Amino acid sequence: PEVAALRQACVESKIWGCFSIMERNKEEGGSPYNSGIIVDDKGAIQLYYRKLHPWTPVEPWEPGNIGIPVCDGPKGCKLSLIICHDGMFPECARECAYKGAEIMIRTAGYTAPIRKSWQFTNQSNSFCNLMASCNVCMCGSDGTFDSMGEGMIVNFDGEILAHGTTGRPNEIITAEVRPDLVREARLHWGVENNIYQFGHRGYVAVKGGASDCPYTYMKDLTARRYKVPWEDDVVQKDGASCGFGAPTRTYEGEKNAPPMPP
């Protein structure tokens, strides 16, 4: 019913919408997913995403298992969606851009201590990937957390185009975003075309550049042996500090996304 109402609202308002929802986990004993959808102006769900990185140890949500999708957006743009804490991991924004996103949406619910981190990660996510980003944060209190607001629209070069700074729940920000300029930069920039150069290191010296993976953490993560040097001394490894019992289930790996309703 909730998703149907959101879809109908897009139809009635003749706009595209991005919405955050809690999704029931049908696995026995599974925690809910923190999910997001993008709905077009006809009411069709164009993108469906499950948050990869829950805000642990505060959030008990299931880790996302369907990757980061990209969809066709209004006026021919390419859209992607990440949720809140995902944006603190540069790999998430890079994945969006690598799969073709020209505009990345980041929905969040941060509080004031994250204010500066919110700003510079939004900017770096855009600049490092030549990708515009539209970043929205809840504003006001839900009885437990006092969210800060401060929506931010960032251009592909890291410039802030619009920034909500009043902390008022009804503040609306707008800006013109140009996907055509994103495409132009990705094709024609030399220096700072980082999304391309990442896989073509030193192309001036060697033909096509080096395309291997020199990063130990990437190799270890792929092999499921990721371990930081201080791993054994990390204190917070479950949700006990926030009142959650120790988990007994293990992550089963990536799955195909369930079919979206017509």
Side-chain angles (χ1 to χ4, degrees):
E2 178 184 356
V3 173
L6 297 173
R7 295 172 68 183
Q8 185 59 33
C10 289
V11 173
E12 293 175 356
S13 300
K14 299 180 181 179
I15 59 171
W16 286 59
C18 178
F19 306 100
S20 182
I21 57 176
M22 288 294 104
E23 178 191 353
R24 179 184 177 187
N25 189 340
K26 296 182 180 180
E27 298 292 332
E28 183 177 356
S31 297
Y33 294 101
N34 187 345
S35 301
I37 56 175
I38 294 178
V39 180
D40 68 19
D41 55 356
K42 305 298 182 184
I45 299 175
Q46 294 295 338
L47 184 146
Y48 159 53
Y49 169 66
R50 290 171 174 169
K51 184 179 183 180
L52 286 180
H53 295 276
W55 194 36
T56 53
V58 177
E59 294 179 349
W61 316 131
E62 195 84 3
N65 58 1
I66 58 174
I68 299 179
V70 172
C71 72
D72 293 328
K75 299 184 178 180
C77 72
K78 296 288 186 180
L79 294 175
S80 62
L81 168 65
I82 63 174
I83 298 175
C84 202
H85 194 50
D86 287 332
M88 299 301 185
F89 298 85
E91 294 81 5
C92 285
R94 177 57 51 90
E95 177 75 355
C96 294
Y98 185 73
K99 296 177 76 170
E102 296 155 347
I103 303 171
M104 182 187 77
I105 300 171
R106 180 187 185 187
T107 60
Y110 280 122
T111 56
I114 307 294
R115 177 173 286 115
K116 291 297 183 181
S117 303
W118 167 252
Q119 180 173 329
F120 65 66
T121 53
N122 290 336
Q123 291 183 269
S124 64
N125 285 338
S126 286
F127 172 71
C128 292
N129 297 290
L130 296 182
M131 175 175 63
S133 65
C134 298
N135 310 277
V136 59
C137 183
M138 290 194 301
C139 191
S141 176
D142 63 1
T144 301
F145 293 105
D146 189 15
S147 298
M148 65 187 186
E150 299 203 15
M152 184 181 298
I153 302 172
V154 182
N155 210 0
F156 66 91
D157 60 358
E159 178 186 2
I160 299 174
L161 299 177
H163 185 191
T165 58
T166 68
R168 297 177 64 86
N170 60 352
E171 182 177 18
I172 296 174
I173 63 171
T174 62
E176 181 183 38
V177 176
R178 295 275 303 273
D180 59 317
L181 297 182
V182 172
R183 298 173 201 132
E184 181 181 287
R186 288 176 172 178
L187 293 179
H188 296 288
W189 275 25
V191 294
E192 304 305 339
N193 193 345
N194 302 307
I195 179 66
Y196 172 78
Q197 293 180 13
F198 189 73
H200 303 82
R201 296 181 293 114
Y203 63 69
V204 174
V206 294
K207 185 177 181 179
S211 58
D212 62 334
C213 178
Y215 304 103
T216 302
Y217 85 96
M218 289 186 176
K219 297 174 184 178
D220 287 353
L221 189 63
T222 301
R224 294 198 172 191
R225 58 171 184 260
Y226 182 92
K227 184 177 181 180
V228 294
W230 55 93
E231 185 104 3
D232 294 339
D233 297 323
V234 172
V235 175
Q236 302 290 345
K237 294 185 176 180
D238 58 32
S241 64
C242 294
F244 301 109
T248 57
R249 298 165 51 251
T250 57
Y251 179 68
E252 296 182 359
E254 191 169 5
K255 297 182 178 181
N256 293 325
M260 291 184 289

